Amino acid sequence: MTLPLYAAPAAPGSLPSAPAQGPSTTPTGYALPDATGHFGAYGGTFVAETLMHALDELRAAYAKYSVDPEFIAEFRSELKHFVGRPSPIYHAKRLSARQGGAQIYLKREDLNHTGAHKINNTVGQALLAKRMGKPRVIAETGAGQHGVASATVAARFGMQCVVYMGSEDMGRQAANVYRMKLLGAEVVPVESGSKTLKDALNEAMRDWVTHVEDTFYIIGTVAGPHPYPMMVRDFNSVVGKECLVQMPEIAGRQPDYVVACVGGGSNAMGIFYDYIPLPEVRLVGVEAAGLGLDSGQHAASLQRGTPGVLHGNRTYLLQDANGQITATHSLSAGLDYPGVGPEHAFLKDSGRAEYVGATDAEALRAFHDCCEIEGIIPALESSHALAHALKLAQTRPASEIILVNLSGRGDKDLHIVAEASGLEFFCRDSCRRASQALTRSERGVS
């Protein structure tokens, strides 16, 4: 079941008449999840009894407001005037010429307010929280972009905001930690487990259990218990709906391939969703292959994982024979997660989407290529999708089109890229010491 937050997309083979700006009727012939939140064998609600009331309340509120004209009008207005939608599609002509094959187009989500696709979903959830009378919002974050987006909408609507972030990720994303604090959020370092996104999500869930009456949990990806996978997808499906209109305008037709990176999978589902009924468009998700899919140091849940339950839903997980979650690795904090959204698990098993990997090294090369050839600094997450698109383009004729969801900008990753490239990021020792001091203080280290 999905709800009419956006205008319905045009039928396959026809052209949409106007940009869609606001939540979604079901694409033709596709009606998942079911009433219990399942995408085939995946999804559902696997949580403590103490959260069932909160989830029931959330499902009822989403069912009510996602068809409410006043809610829809405010959501569309915020996307247009606050986020800056629609985001453009850009023909990467020089990259395409360099590769010598298919034409590469970029959906420029990096140009959104806050620099990534995350703001689309957080605006929707914040408006819902406001109508539910929840003055406090919490969020988890890995790369920091969802944390920044959550802090941004909390400031926009006058809410208290607490963001949970693994201390390992705080060290990798110190700039985004500071951005969240500038926006008025409290950033709580998580020291348990691997000190990354998985553990931040665990802590956010614990917070929600103890503050359900006044707190709304803004989940940042298409995972978690029902209705989150559906709700986050619906709010972010503005990306794909815009593409349905923009691609015929800029390229004369829809793409042959839609490519997006996949960690939890929100940016990918946002662009995949309305292309699901178009079988001529191949959907390709790109996971973090880290140091290689056979190295044991990656975050490729769909390619190397098995079904299990984590964070309230059944999906593919990286786990050992005893069902314990195993360590992950990616140069990109936003992809460093041992699971994936349940709809991606369904799309994989059904064959509607295919999932591949890009290594740290391949993502770095794509990052530098995009910077030097197109003048665009992509996020490391997006660079994984771009890396696969560059390889794919070389194998396809120049008449074919590859649309890449450039899900975020790379300002946040500059120090990671510099370090990985053996370059000096800080111009002065005092800058380096200040950054190191911030990281130590956030982690409680003197």
Side-chain angles (χ1 to χ4, degrees):
M1 178 181 69
T2 55
L3 301 161
L5 292 168
Y6 298 98
S14 64
L15 301 183
S17 59
Q21 291 280 25
S24 156
T25 53
T26 303
T28 305
Y30 185 80
L32 293 176
D34 63 19
T36 61
H38 284 85
F39 302 86
Y42 305 102
T45 305
F46 299 85
V47 297
E49 188 65 30
T50 49
L51 280 179
M52 289 305 297
H53 173 71
L55 288 168
D56 288 342
E57 181 186 33
L58 176 59
R59 282 191 286 269
Y62 184 60
K64 174 182 178 181
Y65 290 112
S66 61
V67 295
D68 177 64
E70 191 173 298
F71 179 91
I72 294 170
E74 185 174 5
F75 179 61
R76 292 177 179 176
S77 177
E78 292 296 325
L79 289 183
K80 180 178 180 180
H81 299 291
F82 187 62
V83 177
R85 303 206 70 90
S87 64
I89 289 178
Y90 169 74
H91 185 188
K93 294 181 181 179
R94 295 191 67 230
L95 269 178
S96 301
R98 200 280 301 271
Q99 296 307 102
Q103 299 303 298
I104 299 171
Y105 288 77
L106 308 177
K107 177 60 170 169
R108 297 291 307 277
E109 290 299 286
D110 59 307
L111 297 179
N112 293 340
H113 179 42
T114 73
H117 70 287
K118 295 291 188 181
I119 192 71
N120 305 322
N121 164 52
T122 57
V123 165
Q125 291 197 57
L127 290 174
L128 195 56
K130 187 171 72 167
R131 281 163 171 77
M132 292 174 69
K134 308 287 186 180
R136 178 178 182 265
V137 297
I138 60 173
E140 85 296 330
T141 195
Q145 286 301 124
H146 177 61
V148 169
S150 297
T152 297
V153 295
R156 169 75 181 85
F157 298 116
M159 298 170 170
Q160 179 188 357
C161 180
V162 178
V163 179
Y164 289 90
M165 189 173 191
S167 59
E168 176 71 18
D169 290 336
M170 292 177 77
R172 291 194 282 187
Q173 298 292 342
N176 272 343
V177 173
Y178 186 55
R179 289 173 74 192
M180 286 181 264
K181 290 193 166 192
L182 283 176
L183 292 161
E186 176 188 357
V187 184
V188 179
V190 176
E191 296 289 349
S192 59
S194 60
K195 306 175 186 179
T196 57
L197 180 58
K198 166 182 69 71
D199 312 290
L201 209 154
N202 288 339
E203 290 302 318
M205 285 279 194
R206 292 187 183 103
D207 182 311
W208 196 26
V209 167
T210 55
H211 299 93
V212 291
E213 295 304 319
D214 69 345
T215 296
F216 188 105
Y217 182 9
I218 302 180
I219 286 184
T221 193
V222 286
H226 180 59
Y228 280 107
M230 174 182 71
M231 185 171 68
V232 174
R233 176 201 67 191
D234 289 353
F235 284 134
N236 201 38
S237 67
V238 64
V239 179
K241 288 174 170 59
E242 288 176 357
C243 291
L244 286 176
V245 176
Q246 293 169 318
M247 284 305 299
E249 292 175 347
I250 191 172
R253 63 181 181 86
Q254 297 301 339
D256 298 285
Y257 295 85
V258 174
V259 180
C261 66
V262 175
S266 60
N267 96 87
M269 278 314 311
I271 197 169
F272 284 179
Y273 183 50
D274 282 277
Y275 279 106
I276 291 173
L278 305 181
E280 67 275 17
V281 179
R282 294 177 65 176
L283 308 178
V284 184
V286 186
E287 296 187 294
L291 303 184
L293 290 175
D294 297 324
S295 69
Q297 297 187 62
H298 57 75
S301 306
L302 287 164
Q303 296 170 86
R304 291 294 186 269
T306 54
V309 173
L310 179 68
H311 297 143
N313 70 112
R314 187 174 190 269
T315 186
Y316 277 91
L317 306 174
L318 293 173
Q319 56 187 334
D320 63 22
N322 297 315
Q324 297 300 304
I325 300 301
T326 56
T328 56
H329 164 79
S330 173
L331 190 68
S332 163
L335 302 182
D336 202 354
Y337 181 65
V340 67
E343 192 161 9
H344 284 293
F346 171 80
L347 292 175
K348 173 189 183 301
D349 283 6
S350 68
R352 180 59 189 94
E354 56 192 285
Y355 295 87
V356 299
T359 65
D360 289 350
E362 289 170 334
L364 271 175
R365 283 197 296 272
F367 177 96
H368 285 293
D369 285 346
C370 194
C371 291
E372 296 168 10
I373 298 174
E374 293 293 347
I376 297 170
I377 304 175
L380 280 174
E381 291 81 12
S382 313
S383 298
H384 285 71
L386 190 56
H388 179 73
L390 293 174
K391 289 193 295 184
L392 178 62
Q394 292 181 313
T395 70
R396 308 305 303 169
S399 60
E400 292 193 356
I401 296 172
I402 300 170
L403 175 60
V404 179
N405 195 11
L406 199 73
S407 56
R409 66 178 183 237
D411 310 50
K412 66 184 179 60
D413 297 318
L414 294 182
H415 63 293
I416 299 174
V417 172
E419 182 178 342
S421 305
L423 303 175
E424 180 61 71
F425 179 72
F426 296 103
C427 58
R428 292 179 295 181
D429 286 342
S430 59
C431 296
R432 183 189 297 102
R433 289 195 298 270
S435 177
Q436 290 171 344
L438 172 63
T439 302
R440 286 196 302 270
S441 66
E442 296 295 352
R443 295 175 63 181
V445 177
S446 59

